[in-house]
Amino acid sequence: MAWERSFEKRVIQVRQKELRFQKLNYTIEVLWNAIWNGSPMLVTLVLFWHYTVVRGEVLDPATTFTSIIGN
């Protein structure tokens, strides 16, 4: 029958929509994992910045290693 082409077009359209949503889902998952895995380093950097810039303290090795190992 001549239905194959019309059904093929419909299946391709649905597949393209599915692939767009799948790509969006993977992108969101990758970004979430990057944020989740990078947050400890970001917190540590903000902690050291606050200690040195805001509080005006000197960041020596003893303080640095104690705070990193303590967390």
Side-chain angles (χ1 to χ4, degrees), residues 15-32:
R15 179 66 175 150
Q16 291 301 323
K17 185 177 179 181
E18 178 189 11
L19 288 175
R20 281 194 310 269
F21 282 117
Q22 196 172 33
K23 182 180 177 182
L24 177 64
N25 185 37
Y26 288 150
T27 303
I28 291 170
E29 185 176 349
V30 165
L31 290 174
W32 175 251

Side-chain angles (χ1 to χ4, degrees), residues 6-22:
S6 66
F7 279 115
E8 182 182 9
K9 288 179 185 177
R10 290 173 61 186
V11 168
I12 289 173
Q13 288 175 351
V14 171
R15 179 66 175 150
Q16 291 301 323
K17 185 177 179 181
E18 178 189 11
L19 288 175
R20 281 194 310 269
F21 282 117
Q22 196 172 33

Side-chain angles (χ1 to χ4, degrees), residues 25 28 31 36-38 40 44 52 61 64-66:
N25 185 37
I28 291 170
L31 290 174
W36 184 259
N37 291 327
T44 303
T52 57
T64 304
F65 290 124
T66 303

Side-chain angles (χ1 to χ4, degrees), residues 20-59:
R20 281 194 310 269
F21 282 117
Q22 196 172 33
K23 182 180 177 182
L24 177 64
N25 185 37
Y26 288 150
T27 303
I28 291 170
E29 185 176 349
V30 165
L31 290 174
W32 175 251
N33 285 332
I35 291 169
W36 184 259
N37 291 327
S39 63
M41 184 170 45
L42 181 64
V43 167
T44 303
L45 291 174
V46 169
L47 172 81
F48 291 154
W49 173 82
H50 181 270
Y51 185 75
T52 57
V53 175
V54 176
R55 292 182 59 184
E57 300 286 334
V58 176
L59 189 62

